[in-house]
Amino acid sequence: MESEGSDSPAPSRAPVAEVFNSIRERAIAENSMVVLLQGLQGEVTTVDLRNESTARGRVVNVDAFMNVRLEDVLYRDRGGKLSKLQDLFITGRNIRYVHIPDHVDIMKTMQSQLAKIHRVRNFASHGGGRKEFGWLRG
């Protein structure tokens, strides 16, 4: 886990549309519950880690491998010491539990994220996007 330091306060950032970097990542995300976590982008949530520490912050990004990037983080280590971090990256293998905020509708969030994945896929099939496997079409 790392924090990025800066003397100036971080500007408030609006949620950025999820970008799926490869066909493999889209397939993994589409076939797992990670779409729910990706739908939490912009939300403040708590992530419990395997080493018994916790991090509470705004979700900036979640990739298909469940790596999570948080900003404006309050980090509590296993001894109870609190640290304020501007930015925190957590690898998926270190996550024990992600708290879903009460106001989030789980089904709507998952359906919305799946629709984004399908829009990316359909955009490519209509002649747009990258030609990752163009040689297969002939």
Side-chain angles (χ1 to χ4, degrees):
M1 294 182 284
E2 293 181 20
S3 77
E4 294 176 7
S6 173
D7 293 343
S8 63
S12 176
R13 294 182 207 139
V16 179
E18 182 66 36
V19 176
F20 296 95
N21 295 323
S22 68
I23 290 173
R24 180 175 180 225
E25 277 194 69
R26 288 193 303 263
I28 291 169
E30 184 177 36
N31 293 303
S32 70
M33 294 293 288
V34 78
V35 294
L36 176 58
L37 299 183
Q38 290 171 338
L40 294 179
Q41 189 169 336
E43 298 284 343
V44 174
T45 192
T46 301
V47 179
D48 294 339
L49 305 178
R50 288 176 54 193
N51 68 356
E52 312 222 352
S53 60
T54 62
R56 180 168 181 77
R58 184 170 315 282
V59 178
V60 175
N61 188 23
V62 179
D63 68 14
F65 306 103
M66 209 168 72
N67 298 319
V68 177
R69 190 170 144 234
L70 301 172
E71 67 182 4
D72 301 325
V73 180
L74 190 59
Y75 177 79
R76 180 185 306 264
D77 67 16
R78 65 190 301 173
K81 180 183 172 198
L82 288 175
S83 303
K84 180 112 173 94
L85 306 171
Q86 183 178 354
D87 195 53
L88 180 69
F89 181 82
I90 306 168
T91 57
R93 71 181 313 271
N94 289 319
I95 295 174
R96 174 174 289 159
Y97 187 82
V98 177
H99 297 257
I100 308 299
D102 289 337
H103 68 274
V104 172
D105 183 328
I106 293 172
M107 289 304 294
K108 284 183 182 176
T109 301
M110 290 178 66
Q111 289 168 349
S112 170
Q113 286 302 116
L114 288 170
K116 288 178 185 178
I117 293 171
H118 292 143
R119 273 196 303 271
V120 169
R121 178 176 292 145
N122 291 337
F123 177 71
S125 69
H126 294 295
R130 299 186 306 205
K131 308 295 187 256
E132 293 169 298
F133 294 104
W135 57 273
L136 289 174
R137 292 186 207 128

Short mmCIF file of all heavy atoms in Angstrom, two decimals, residues 68-128:
data_model
loop_
_atom_site.label_atom_id
_atom_site.label_comp_id
_atom_site.label_asym_id
_atom_site.label_seq_id
_atom_site.Cartn_x
_atom_site.Cartn_y
_atom_site.Cartn_z
N VAL A 68 -8.12 -1.78 -5.72
CA VAL A 68 -8.94 -0.61 -5.41
C VAL A 68 -8.04 0.59 -5.15
O VAL A 68 -7.03 0.48 -4.45
CB VAL A 68 -9.80 -0.88 -4.15
CG1 VAL A 68 -10.60 0.35 -3.76
CG2 VAL A 68 -10.72 -2.06 -4.37
N ARG A 69 -8.42 1.73 -5.72
CA ARG A 69 -7.73 2.98 -5.43
C ARG A 69 -8.71 3.90 -4.72
O ARG A 69 -9.81 4.15 -5.22
CB ARG A 69 -7.24 3.62 -6.72
CG ARG A 69 -6.31 4.79 -6.43
CD ARG A 69 -5.61 5.30 -7.65
NE ARG A 69 -5.51 6.74 -7.48
CZ ARG A 69 -5.92 7.63 -8.34
NH1 ARG A 69 -6.43 7.26 -9.49
NH2 ARG A 69 -5.82 8.90 -8.09
N LEU A 70 -8.31 4.38 -3.54
CA LEU A 70 -9.12 5.28 -2.73
C LEU A 70 -8.43 6.63 -2.63
O LEU A 70 -7.21 6.70 -2.68
CB LEU A 70 -9.30 4.72 -1.32
CG LEU A 70 -9.96 3.35 -1.16
CD1 LEU A 70 -9.88 2.89 0.28
CD2 LEU A 70 -11.39 3.37 -1.64
N GLU A 71 -9.21 7.70 -2.42
CA GLU A 71 -8.64 9.02 -2.14
C GLU A 71 -9.26 9.55 -0.86
O GLU A 71 -10.31 9.10 -0.42
CB GLU A 71 -8.87 9.97 -3.31
CG GLU A 71 -10.30 10.36 -3.56
CD GLU A 71 -10.47 11.28 -4.75
OE1 GLU A 71 -9.48 11.58 -5.44
OE2 GLU A 71 -11.60 11.70 -4.98
N ASP A 72 -8.58 10.54 -0.24
CA ASP A 72 -9.01 11.13 1.03
C ASP A 72 -9.28 10.02 2.05
O ASP A 72 -10.38 9.86 2.56
CB ASP A 72 -10.25 12.01 0.86
CG ASP A 72 -10.01 13.14 -0.12
OD1 ASP A 72 -8.87 13.66 -0.14
OD2 ASP A 72 -10.93 13.50 -0.86
N VAL A 73 -8.24 9.26 2.35
CA VAL A 73 -8.35 8.02 3.12
C VAL A 73 -8.01 8.23 4.60
O VAL A 73 -7.04 8.91 4.93
CB VAL A 73 -7.41 6.95 2.53
CG1 VAL A 73 -7.50 5.65 3.31
CG2 VAL A 73 -7.70 6.71 1.06
N LEU A 74 -8.81 7.61 5.45
CA LEU A 74 -8.50 7.47 6.86
C LEU A 74 -8.13 6.01 7.06
O LEU A 74 -8.97 5.12 6.92
CB LEU A 74 -9.71 7.86 7.72
CG LEU A 74 -9.45 7.99 9.21
CD1 LEU A 74 -8.37 9.04 9.48
CD2 LEU A 74 -10.72 8.35 9.93
N TYR A 75 -6.85 5.76 7.33
CA TYR A 75 -6.32 4.40 7.44
C TYR A 75 -6.06 4.08 8.91
O TYR A 75 -5.43 4.85 9.62
CB TYR A 75 -5.01 4.29 6.63
CG TYR A 75 -4.34 2.95 6.74
CD1 TYR A 75 -4.79 1.88 6.00
CD2 TYR A 75 -3.25 2.77 7.58
CE1 TYR A 75 -4.18 0.63 6.10
CE2 TYR A 75 -2.63 1.54 7.68
CZ TYR A 75 -3.10 0.47 6.94
OH TYR A 75 -2.50 -0.75 7.05
N ARG A 76 -6.58 2.95 9.36
CA ARG A 76 -6.38 2.50 10.74
C ARG A 76 -5.61 1.18 10.67
O ARG A 76 -6.10 0.20 10.12
CB ARG A 76 -7.71 2.29 11.45
CG ARG A 76 -7.55 1.82 12.90
CD ARG A 76 -8.88 1.49 13.55
NE ARG A 76 -9.83 2.59 13.46
CZ ARG A 76 -10.04 3.50 14.42
NH1 ARG A 76 -9.36 3.43 15.53
NH2 ARG A 76 -10.93 4.45 14.25
N ASP A 77 -4.40 1.17 11.23
CA ASP A 77 -3.61 -0.07 11.20
C ASP A 77 -4.12 -1.02 12.27
O ASP A 77 -5.00 -0.70 13.05
CB ASP A 77 -2.11 0.21 11.33
CG ASP A 77 -1.71 0.76 12.69
OD1 ASP A 77 -2.49 0.67 13.65
OD2 ASP A 77 -0.59 1.28 12.79
N ARG A 78 -3.56 -2.23 12.30
CA ARG A 78 -4.05 -3.26 13.22
C ARG A 78 -3.86 -2.88 14.68
O ARG A 78 -4.54 -3.41 15.55
CB ARG A 78 -3.43 -4.60 12.89
CG ARG A 78 -1.93 -4.63 13.11
CD ARG A 78 -1.27 -5.85 12.58
NE ARG A 78 -1.78 -7.05 13.19
CZ ARG A 78 -1.46 -8.26 12.82
NH1 ARG A 78 -0.63 -8.43 11.83
NH2 ARG A 78 -1.95 -9.29 13.43
N GLY A 79 -2.97 -1.96 14.96
CA GLY A 79 -2.76 -1.49 16.33
C GLY A 79 -3.69 -0.36 16.73
O GLY A 79 -3.68 0.09 17.85
N GLY A 80 -4.48 0.14 15.78
CA GLY A 80 -5.43 1.21 16.06
C GLY A 80 -4.94 2.60 15.72
O GLY A 80 -5.67 3.57 15.87
N LYS A 81 -3.70 2.73 15.23
CA LYS A 81 -3.15 4.05 14.89
C LYS A 81 -3.80 4.56 13.61
O LYS A 81 -3.87 3.85 12.60
CB LYS A 81 -1.64 3.93 14.69
CG LYS A 81 -0.99 5.24 14.33
CD LYS A 81 0.49 5.07 14.07
CE LYS A 81 1.05 6.36 13.51
NZ LYS A 81 2.33 6.14 12.85
N LEU A 82 -4.29 5.81 13.65
CA LEU A 82 -4.94 6.43 12.50
C LEU A 82 -3.96 7.25 11.69
O LEU A 82 -3.11 7.94 12.25
CB LEU A 82 -6.09 7.33 12.95
CG LEU A 82 -7.33 6.64 13.49
CD1 LEU A 82 -8.31 7.68 14.02
CD2 LEU A 82 -7.98 5.80 12.43
N SER A 83 -4.09 7.17 10.36
CA SER A 83 -3.29 7.98 9.44
C SER A 83 -4.22 8.54 8.38
O SER A 83 -5.12 7.85 7.90
CB SER A 83 -2.22 7.13 8.76
OG SER A 83 -1.39 6.51 9.69
N LYS A 84 -3.98 9.79 8.01
CA LYS A 84 -4.75 10.42 6.92
C LYS A 84 -3.88 10.38 5.67
O LYS A 84 -2.75 10.86 5.68
CB LYS A 84 -5.09 11.86 7.29
CG LYS A 84 -5.85 12.58 6.24
CD LYS A 84 -7.26 12.86 6.71
CE LYS A 84 -8.00 13.74 5.73
NZ LYS A 84 -8.77 13.02 4.79
N LEU A 85 -4.41 9.77 4.61
CA LEU A 85 -3.68 9.63 3.35
C LEU A 85 -4.46 10.29 2.23
O LEU A 85 -5.69 10.21 2.19
CB LEU A 85 -3.46 8.15 3.02
CG LEU A 85 -2.79 7.30 4.11
CD1 LEU A 85 -2.84 5.84 3.72
CD2 LEU A 85 -1.36 7.75 4.31
N GLN A 86 -3.73 10.90 1.32
CA GLN A 86 -4.37 11.53 0.17
C GLN A 86 -4.85 10.46 -0.82
O GLN A 86 -5.92 10.59 -1.40
CB GLN A 86 -3.38 12.47 -0.51
CG GLN A 86 -3.98 13.22 -1.68
CD GLN A 86 -2.96 14.16 -2.28
OE1 GLN A 86 -1.86 14.34 -1.77
NE2 GLN A 86 -3.32 14.78 -3.38
N ASP A 87 -4.05 9.41 -0.99
CA ASP A 87 -4.33 8.39 -2.00
C ASP A 87 -3.85 7.05 -1.48
O ASP A 87 -2.79 6.99 -0.82
CB ASP A 87 -3.58 8.77 -3.29
CG ASP A 87 -4.07 8.00 -4.49
OD1 ASP A 87 -5.28 8.02 -4.74
OD2 ASP A 87 -3.23 7.40 -5.17
N LEU A 88 -4.59 5.98 -1.74
CA LEU A 88 -4.20 4.65 -1.28
C LEU A 88 -4.57 3.63 -2.34
O LEU A 88 -5.71 3.63 -2.83
CB LEU A 88 -4.88 4.31 0.04
CG LEU A 88 -4.58 2.95 0.65
CD1 LEU A 88 -3.14 2.90 1.15
CD2 LEU A 88 -5.54 2.66 1.80
N PHE A 89 -3.63 2.78 -2.70
CA PHE A 89 -3.87 1.68 -3.65
C PHE A 89 -3.83 0.38 -2.87
O PHE A 89 -2.87 0.11 -2.15
CB PHE A 89 -2.79 1.67 -4.75
CG PHE A 89 -3.00 0.59 -5.75
CD1 PHE A 89 -3.89 0.76 -6.80
CD2 PHE A 89 -2.32 -0.61 -5.66
CE1 PHE A 89 -4.09 -0.24 -7.74
CE2 PHE A 89 -2.52 -1.62 -6.58
CZ PHE A 89 -3.40 -1.43 -7.62
N ILE A 90 -4.87 -0.44 -3.00
CA ILE A 90 -4.96 -1.71 -2.29
C ILE A 90 -5.07 -2.82 -3.33
O ILE A 90 -5.97 -2.79 -4.18
CB ILE A 90 -6.20 -1.76 -1.38
CG1 ILE A 90 -6.21 -0.57 -0.42
CG2 ILE A 90 -6.26 -3.08 -0.62
CD1 ILE A 90 -7.53 -0.38 0.31
N THR A 91 -4.17 -3.78 -3.26
CA THR A 91 -4.26 -4.91 -4.18
C THR A 91 -5.40 -5.82 -3.76
O THR A 91 -5.69 -5.99 -2.58
CB THR A 91 -2.94 -5.72 -4.23
OG1 THR A 91 -2.63 -6.15 -2.91
CG2 THR A 91 -1.81 -4.87 -4.79
N GLY A 92 -6.05 -6.41 -4.76
CA GLY A 92 -7.21 -7.24 -4.51
C GLY A 92 -6.96 -8.39 -3.55
O GLY A 92 -7.83 -8.75 -2.77
N ARG A 93 -5.77 -8.95 -3.59
CA ARG A 93 -5.50 -10.11 -2.73
C ARG A 93 -5.41 -9.73 -1.25
O ARG A 93 -5.47 -10.58 -0.38
CB ARG A 93 -4.23 -10.83 -3.17
CG ARG A 93 -2.95 -10.08 -2.89
CD ARG A 93 -1.71 -10.80 -3.36
NE ARG A 93 -1.65 -12.19 -2.98
CZ ARG A 93 -1.13 -12.67 -1.86
NH1 ARG A 93 -0.60 -11.84 -0.99
NH2 ARG A 93 -1.13 -13.96 -1.61
N ASN A 94 -5.29 -8.44 -0.95
CA ASN A 94 -5.21 -7.98 0.44
C ASN A 94 -6.56 -7.57 1.02
O ASN A 94 -6.64 -7.18 2.18
CB ASN A 94 -4.22 -6.83 0.57
CG ASN A 94 -2.80 -7.30 0.40
OD1 ASN A 94 -2.43 -8.36 0.88
ND2 ASN A 94 -2.02 -6.54 -0.34
N ILE A 95 -7.62 -7.65 0.23
CA ILE A 95 -8.94 -7.22 0.68
C ILE A 95 -9.67 -8.39 1.34
O ILE A 95 -9.78 -9.47 0.76
CB ILE A 95 -9.77 -6.66 -0.48
CG1 ILE A 95 -9.11 -5.39 -1.01
CG2 ILE A 95 -11.21 -6.39 -0.06
CD1 ILE A 95 -9.75 -4.81 -2.24
N ARG A 96 -10.17 -8.14 2.52
CA ARG A 96 -11.01 -9.13 3.22
C ARG A 96 -12.48 -8.85 2.95
O ARG A 96 -13.26 -9.75 2.69
CB ARG A 96 -10.75 -9.09 4.71
CG ARG A 96 -11.70 -10.02 5.49
CD ARG A 96 -11.36 -10.10 6.93
NE ARG A 96 -10.11 -10.85 7.06
CZ ARG A 96 -9.31 -10.79 8.11
NH1 ARG A 96 -9.61 -9.99 9.11
NH2 ARG A 96 -8.21 -11.49 8.16
N TYR A 97 -12.87 -7.56 3.02
CA TYR A 97 -14.29 -7.22 2.94
C TYR A 97 -14.42 -5.77 2.49
O TYR A 97 -13.65 -4.91 2.93
CB TYR A 97 -14.92 -7.40 4.32
CG TYR A 97 -16.41 -7.23 4.38
CD1 TYR A 97 -17.25 -8.26 4.02
CD2 TYR A 97 -16.97 -6.03 4.78
CE1 TYR A 97 -18.63 -8.11 4.07
CE2 TYR A 97 -18.35 -5.87 4.85
CZ TYR A 97 -19.17 -6.92 4.49
OH TYR A 97 -20.52 -6.76 4.54
N VAL A 98 -15.40 -5.49 1.65
CA VAL A 98 -15.71 -4.12 1.26
C VAL A 98 -17.13 -3.82 1.75
O VAL A 98 -18.07 -4.56 1.42
CB VAL A 98 -15.62 -3.92 -0.26
CG1 VAL A 98 -16.02 -2.50 -0.65
CG2 VAL A 98 -14.23 -4.23 -0.77
N HIS A 99 -17.28 -2.77 2.53
CA HIS A 99 -18.59 -2.38 3.04
C HIS A 99 -19.36 -1.67 1.93
O HIS A 99 -18.87 -0.69 1.37
CB HIS A 99 -18.45 -1.46 4.25
CG HIS A 99 -17.76 -2.11 5.40
ND1 HIS A 99 -18.43 -2.57 6.51
CD2 HIS A 99 -16.45 -2.41 5.62
CE1 HIS A 99 -17.58 -3.11 7.35
NE2 HIS A 99 -16.36 -3.02 6.83
N ILE A 100 -20.56 -2.15 1.63
CA ILE A 100 -21.41 -1.51 0.63
C ILE A 100 -22.28 -0.49 1.37
O ILE A 100 -22.99 -0.86 2.30
CB ILE A 100 -22.31 -2.54 -0.09
CG1 ILE A 100 -21.49 -3.71 -0.65
CG2 ILE A 100 -23.14 -1.87 -1.18
CD1 ILE A 100 -20.46 -3.34 -1.68
N PRO A 101 -22.25 0.79 0.97
CA PRO A 101 -23.08 1.80 1.65
C PRO A 101 -24.56 1.42 1.60
O PRO A 101 -25.02 0.84 0.61
CB PRO A 101 -22.80 3.08 0.87
CG PRO A 101 -21.47 2.86 0.22
CD PRO A 101 -21.41 1.39 -0.07
N ASP A 102 -25.29 1.75 2.65
CA ASP A 102 -26.71 1.38 2.76
C ASP A 102 -27.56 1.94 1.62
O ASP A 102 -28.53 1.30 1.20
CB ASP A 102 -27.29 1.85 4.09
CG ASP A 102 -26.74 1.06 5.27
OD1 ASP A 102 -26.29 -0.09 5.06
OD2 ASP A 102 -26.76 1.60 6.39
N HIS A 103 -27.24 3.12 1.13
CA HIS A 103 -28.07 3.74 0.11
C HIS A 103 -27.86 3.16 -1.29
O HIS A 103 -28.61 3.48 -2.21
CB HIS A 103 -27.84 5.26 0.09
CG HIS A 103 -26.48 5.63 -0.41
ND1 HIS A 103 -25.39 5.68 0.43
CD2 HIS A 103 -26.03 5.96 -1.64
CE1 HIS A 103 -24.33 6.03 -0.27
NE2 HIS A 103 -24.69 6.21 -1.53
N VAL A 104 -26.87 2.30 -1.48
CA VAL A 104 -26.58 1.73 -2.79
C VAL A 104 -27.54 0.58 -3.08
O VAL A 104 -27.65 -0.35 -2.28
CB VAL A 104 -25.11 1.24 -2.87
CG1 VAL A 104 -24.85 0.47 -4.15
CG2 VAL A 104 -24.16 2.42 -2.75
N ASP A 105 -28.23 0.65 -4.20
CA ASP A 105 -29.09 -0.44 -4.65
C ASP A 105 -28.20 -1.43 -5.41
O ASP A 105 -27.73 -1.13 -6.51
CB ASP A 105 -30.20 0.10 -5.56
CG ASP A 105 -31.18 -0.97 -6.00
OD1 ASP A 105 -30.78 -2.14 -6.17
OD2 ASP A 105 -32.37 -0.63 -6.18
N ILE A 106 -27.96 -2.57 -4.81
CA ILE A 106 -26.99 -3.53 -5.34
C ILE A 106 -27.37 -4.00 -6.74
O ILE A 106 -26.53 -4.01 -7.65
CB ILE A 106 -26.83 -4.71 -4.37
CG1 ILE A 106 -26.16 -4.22 -3.07
CG2 ILE A 106 -26.02 -5.85 -5.00
CD1 ILE A 106 -26.11 -5.24 -1.96
N MET A 107 -28.61 -4.37 -6.96
CA MET A 107 -29.03 -4.88 -8.28
C MET A 107 -28.91 -3.80 -9.36
O MET A 107 -28.40 -4.07 -10.45
CB MET A 107 -30.46 -5.42 -8.22
CG MET A 107 -30.57 -6.72 -7.43
SD MET A 107 -29.48 -8.03 -8.05
CE MET A 107 -30.17 -8.35 -9.65
N LYS A 108 -29.37 -2.59 -9.07
CA LYS A 108 -29.29 -1.51 -10.07
C LYS A 108 -27.83 -1.18 -10.38
O LYS A 108 -27.48 -0.91 -11.54
CB LYS A 108 -30.01 -0.26 -9.58
CG LYS A 108 -31.51 -0.36 -9.67
CD LYS A 108 -32.16 0.93 -9.25
CE LYS A 108 -33.67 0.81 -9.30
NZ LYS A 108 -34.34 2.02 -8.81
N THR A 109 -26.99 -1.19 -9.36
CA THR A 109 -25.58 -0.88 -9.56
C THR A 109 -24.93 -1.93 -10.46
O THR A 109 -24.21 -1.60 -11.40
CB THR A 109 -24.85 -0.82 -8.21
OG1 THR A 109 -25.46 0.20 -7.41
CG2 THR A 109 -23.37 -0.51 -8.39
N MET A 110 -25.20 -3.20 -10.19
CA MET A 110 -24.62 -4.27 -11.01
C MET A 110 -25.15 -4.21 -12.44
O MET A 110 -24.38 -4.36 -13.39
CB MET A 110 -24.90 -5.64 -10.37
CG MET A 110 -24.12 -5.84 -9.09
SD MET A 110 -24.46 -7.41 -8.29
CE MET A 110 -23.82 -8.56 -9.49
N GLN A 111 -26.44 -3.98 -12.62
CA GLN A 111 -27.02 -3.90 -13.96
C GLN A 111 -26.43 -2.73 -14.74
O GLN A 111 -26.13 -2.85 -15.93
CB GLN A 111 -28.54 -3.77 -13.87
CG GLN A 111 -29.20 -5.06 -13.42
CD GLN A 111 -30.67 -4.87 -13.06
OE1 GLN A 111 -31.17 -3.75 -12.95
NE2 GLN A 111 -31.36 -5.98 -12.86
N SER A 112 -26.23 -1.60 -14.07
CA SER A 112 -25.63 -0.44 -14.72
C SER A 112 -24.21 -0.74 -15.20
O SER A 112 -23.83 -0.39 -16.32
CB SER A 112 -25.64 0.74 -13.75
OG SER A 112 -24.89 1.80 -14.24
N GLN A 113 -23.42 -1.38 -14.34
CA GLN A 113 -22.04 -1.70 -14.71
C GLN A 113 -21.99 -2.72 -15.85
O GLN A 113 -21.18 -2.60 -16.77
CB GLN A 113 -21.27 -2.23 -13.51
CG GLN A 113 -20.90 -1.16 -12.50
CD GLN A 113 -20.06 -0.07 -13.10
OE1 GLN A 113 -20.50 1.08 -13.15
NE2 GLN A 113 -18.88 -0.37 -13.54
N LEU A 114 -22.86 -3.71 -15.81
CA LEU A 114 -22.91 -4.70 -16.89
C LEU A 114 -23.32 -4.04 -18.20
O LEU A 114 -22.80 -4.38 -19.26
CB LEU A 114 -23.86 -5.85 -16.54
CG LEU A 114 -23.34 -6.79 -15.47
CD1 LEU A 114 -24.45 -7.75 -15.02
CD2 LEU A 114 -22.12 -7.56 -15.95
N ALA A 115 -24.22 -3.08 -18.14
CA ALA A 115 -24.62 -2.36 -19.35
C ALA A 115 -23.44 -1.60 -19.94
O ALA A 115 -23.27 -1.55 -21.16
CB ALA A 115 -25.77 -1.40 -19.03
N LYS A 116 -22.58 -1.01 -19.07
CA LYS A 116 -21.39 -0.32 -19.57
C LYS A 116 -20.45 -1.27 -20.28
O LYS A 116 -19.90 -0.95 -21.34
CB LYS A 116 -20.64 0.35 -18.42
CG LYS A 116 -21.33 1.56 -17.86
CD LYS A 116 -20.55 2.14 -16.70
CE LYS A 116 -21.28 3.27 -16.05
NZ LYS A 116 -20.56 3.81 -14.89
N ILE A 117 -20.27 -2.46 -19.72
CA ILE A 117 -19.41 -3.46 -20.35
C ILE A 117 -19.97 -3.85 -21.70
O ILE A 117 -19.24 -3.94 -22.70
CB ILE A 117 -19.25 -4.70 -19.45
CG1 ILE A 117 -18.47 -4.34 -18.19
CG2 ILE A 117 -18.55 -5.84 -20.20
CD1 ILE A 117 -18.45 -5.44 -17.14
N HIS A 118 -21.27 -4.07 -21.77
CA HIS A 118 -21.89 -4.48 -23.04
C HIS A 118 -21.85 -3.37 -24.07
O HIS A 118 -21.69 -3.65 -25.27
CB HIS A 118 -23.32 -4.96 -22.80
CG HIS A 118 -23.37 -6.23 -22.02
ND1 HIS A 118 -24.33 -6.49 -21.09
CD2 HIS A 118 -22.55 -7.31 -22.00
CE1 HIS A 118 -24.12 -7.67 -20.54
NE2 HIS A 118 -23.03 -8.19 -21.08
N ARG A 119 -21.96 -2.09 -23.63
CA ARG A 119 -21.84 -0.98 -24.58
C ARG A 119 -20.46 -0.96 -25.21
O ARG A 119 -20.31 -0.74 -26.40
CB ARG A 119 -22.12 0.35 -23.88
CG ARG A 119 -23.56 0.73 -23.85
CD ARG A 119 -23.76 2.20 -23.53
NE ARG A 119 -23.16 2.62 -22.27
CZ ARG A 119 -23.78 2.58 -21.10
NH1 ARG A 119 -25.00 2.12 -20.99
NH2 ARG A 119 -23.16 3.01 -20.01
N VAL A 120 -19.42 -1.20 -24.40
CA VAL A 120 -18.06 -1.23 -24.93
C VAL A 120 -17.93 -2.36 -25.95
O VAL A 120 -17.39 -2.18 -27.04
CB VAL A 120 -17.02 -1.40 -23.79
CG1 VAL A 120 -15.64 -1.70 -24.34
CG2 VAL A 120 -17.00 -0.16 -22.92
N ARG A 121 -18.45 -3.53 -25.60
CA ARG A 121 -18.37 -4.68 -26.51
C ARG A 121 -19.15 -4.41 -27.80
O ARG A 121 -18.67 -4.70 -28.89
CB ARG A 121 -18.92 -5.92 -25.81
CG ARG A 121 -18.90 -7.14 -26.72
CD ARG A 121 -19.34 -8.38 -26.00
NE ARG A 121 -18.33 -8.70 -25.00
CZ ARG A 121 -18.59 -9.22 -23.81
NH1 ARG A 121 -19.82 -9.47 -23.47
NH2 ARG A 121 -17.63 -9.49 -22.98
N ASN A 122 -20.36 -3.87 -27.70
CA ASN A 122 -21.18 -3.63 -28.87
C ASN A 122 -20.61 -2.52 -29.74
O ASN A 122 -20.74 -2.56 -30.96
CB ASN A 122 -22.62 -3.30 -28.47
CG ASN A 122 -23.33 -4.49 -27.88
OD1 ASN A 122 -22.96 -5.64 -28.13
ND2 ASN A 122 -24.34 -4.23 -27.07
N PHE A 123 -19.96 -1.53 -29.14
CA PHE A 123 -19.32 -0.46 -29.91
C PHE A 123 -18.27 -1.06 -30.84
O PHE A 123 -18.20 -0.71 -32.01
CB PHE A 123 -18.69 0.56 -28.96
CG PHE A 123 -17.96 1.66 -29.65
CD1 PHE A 123 -18.65 2.63 -30.35
CD2 PHE A 123 -16.58 1.74 -29.60
CE1 PHE A 123 -17.99 3.65 -31.00
CE2 PHE A 123 -15.90 2.76 -30.24
CZ PHE A 123 -16.61 3.72 -30.94
N ALA A 124 -17.49 -1.99 -30.33
CA ALA A 124 -16.45 -2.63 -31.15
C ALA A 124 -17.06 -3.47 -32.26
O ALA A 124 -16.53 -3.52 -33.36
CB ALA A 124 -15.54 -3.48 -30.27
N SER A 125 -18.18 -4.11 -32.00
CA SER A 125 -18.78 -4.98 -33.02
C SER A 125 -19.43 -4.18 -34.15
O SER A 125 -19.69 -4.72 -35.21
CB SER A 125 -19.80 -5.93 -32.39
OG SER A 125 -20.93 -5.21 -31.95
N HIS A 126 -19.68 -2.88 -33.92
CA HIS A 126 -20.27 -2.03 -34.96
C HIS A 126 -19.23 -1.20 -35.68
O HIS A 126 -19.54 -0.14 -36.21
CB HIS A 126 -21.34 -1.12 -34.34
CG HIS A 126 -22.52 -1.86 -33.80
ND1 HIS A 126 -23.38 -2.57 -34.60
CD2 HIS A 126 -22.96 -2.03 -32.53
CE1 HIS A 126 -24.31 -3.13 -33.86
NE2 HIS A 126 -24.07 -2.83 -32.58
N GLY A 127 -17.99 -1.66 -35.69
CA GLY A 127 -16.95 -0.98 -36.44
C GLY A 127 -16.16 0.06 -35.66
O GLY A 127 -15.23 0.63 -36.18
N GLY A 128 -16.52 0.31 -34.42
CA GLY A 128 -15.80 1.29 -33.61
C GLY A 128 -14.80 0.60 -32.71
O GLY A 128 -14.72 -0.62 -32.67
#
